Amino acid sequence: MIHARIKDIDLKFMTDASLFSPDFIDHGTLAMLSVIDFLPSDKVLDLGCGYGVVGILAGKLIGEEKVVMCDISQRAVEYAKRNATLNGVPHINIRLSDGYENVEENDFTLILSNPPYHADFSVPKRFIEVGFRKLAMGGKIVMVTKRLDWYKNKLISVFGGVKVQEMKGYYVFVAEKRSQMIKKKVKPVKKLSKKLQRKQKYSKADNC
């Protein structure tokens, strides 16, 4: 059993050896939480929730009905549900989901994620690109990793900008949705009028 006090909230978590960071709350997760102010108006997605630290804390602070938690691991979902009940927020919506697969909402104000460090970039790529569409305007995606360049460049390419804070070997990224994605339009080539076509034709002939 892990006991912790985060943002003046006392929490406790049952864990399992098969889950990420089973003996203590991961320092990256704590770094990410340190930069977040949960607001009563927020709607939060804990993406890759593990045994539930982030989402359960959010539920305690802003209300369990404003939080969705998901994980690809059935074991993680089971423990997150146990821990939600253990911490007095049993009605948090906790789902088994491969990324956003079972997340139909598109109005989150916060998406929080501590993606796997050793996976290839296909997982965080999907988290970021689909996450943009899952956010309400002005919403933010917050991620913590031990890698800087790829995440920084990817978030800038999708969101147009990102704030980065380094904390004890971790990087916390905060990117805000400020506009809809704009696809570059190719301008159609204007056709010359018949008069200009004739003029161009004669001009070419004179130069021969």
Side-chain angles (χ1 to χ4, degrees):
M1 182 79 72
I2 296 174
H3 294 265
R5 186 173 178 83
I6 308 173
K7 295 187 181 292
D8 296 323
I9 302 291
D10 290 316
L11 300 165
K12 49 189 175 182
F13 300 97
M14 294 185 291
T15 68
D16 182 86
S18 66
L19 301 177
F20 173 65
S21 194
D23 300 319
F24 55 88
I25 297 175
D26 171 64
H27 297 303
T29 297
L30 293 174
M32 178 174 67
L33 289 171
S34 72
V35 308
I36 299 167
D37 292 319
F38 292 101
L39 303 175
S41 58
D42 277 330
K43 181 174 180 179
V44 176
L45 174 61
D46 181 2
L47 180 62
C49 64
Y51 52 81
V53 176
V54 173
I56 288 170
L57 174 65
K60 297 283 287 184
L61 289 169
I62 64 173
E64 54 196 315
E65 73 283 357
K66 298 178 180 179
V67 179
V68 175
M69 299 165 60
C70 67
D71 202 285
I72 193 174
S73 163
Q74 180 68 57
R75 193 74 167 161
V77 170
E78 289 171 2
Y79 271 83
K81 289 180 177 180
R82 292 181 193 177
N83 288 325
T85 299
L86 187 63
N87 287 281
V89 283
H91 301 299
I92 289 180
N93 191 328
I94 304 174
R95 309 171 188 173
L96 182 67
S97 181
D98 181 359
Y100 301 98
E101 186 177 47
N102 294 323
V103 179
E104 64 277 3
E105 296 92 338
N106 295 305
D107 59 347
F108 294 103
T109 61
L110 281 175
I111 296 177
L112 310 175
S113 184
N114 184 349
Y117 303 140
H118 304 297
D120 62 41
F121 289 117
S122 64
V123 174
K125 179 177 183 290
R126 185 158 42 101
F127 281 12
I128 292 168
E129 291 178 349
V130 180
F132 185 93
R133 300 197 298 271
K134 293 293 181 182
L135 286 168
M137 195 62 65
K140 298 175 182 177
I141 189 168
V142 185
M143 307 182 84
V144 60
T145 79
K146 286 187 173 181
R147 299 179 178 184
L148 174 62
D149 293 340
W150 185 91
Y151 283 88
K152 181 179 178 180
N153 293 335
K154 184 63 182 177
L155 286 161
I156 289 173
S157 72
V158 174
F159 284 81
V162 65
K163 293 181 180 179
V164 185
Q165 295 186 51
E166 183 179 2
M167 299 182 182
K168 297 180 180 179
Y170 292 89
Y171 298 97
V172 181
F173 303 86
V174 181
E176 181 179 346
K177 182 175 180 176
R178 297 181 180 178
S179 63
Q180 298 293 348
M181 280 185 176
I182 301 174
K183 293 183 178 180
K184 292 182 179 180
K185 294 182 178 180
V186 179
K187 292 182 179 180
V189 177
K190 292 182 179 180
K191 291 184 178 180
L192 296 174
S193 66
K194 290 184 178 180
K195 183 177 180 181
L196 286 174
Q197 287 178 19
R198 287 196 299 271
K199 185 176 180 181
Q200 189 179 63
K201 180 180 178 181
Y202 292 135
S203 176
K204 287 180 179 179
D206 290 341
N207 291 329
C208 291

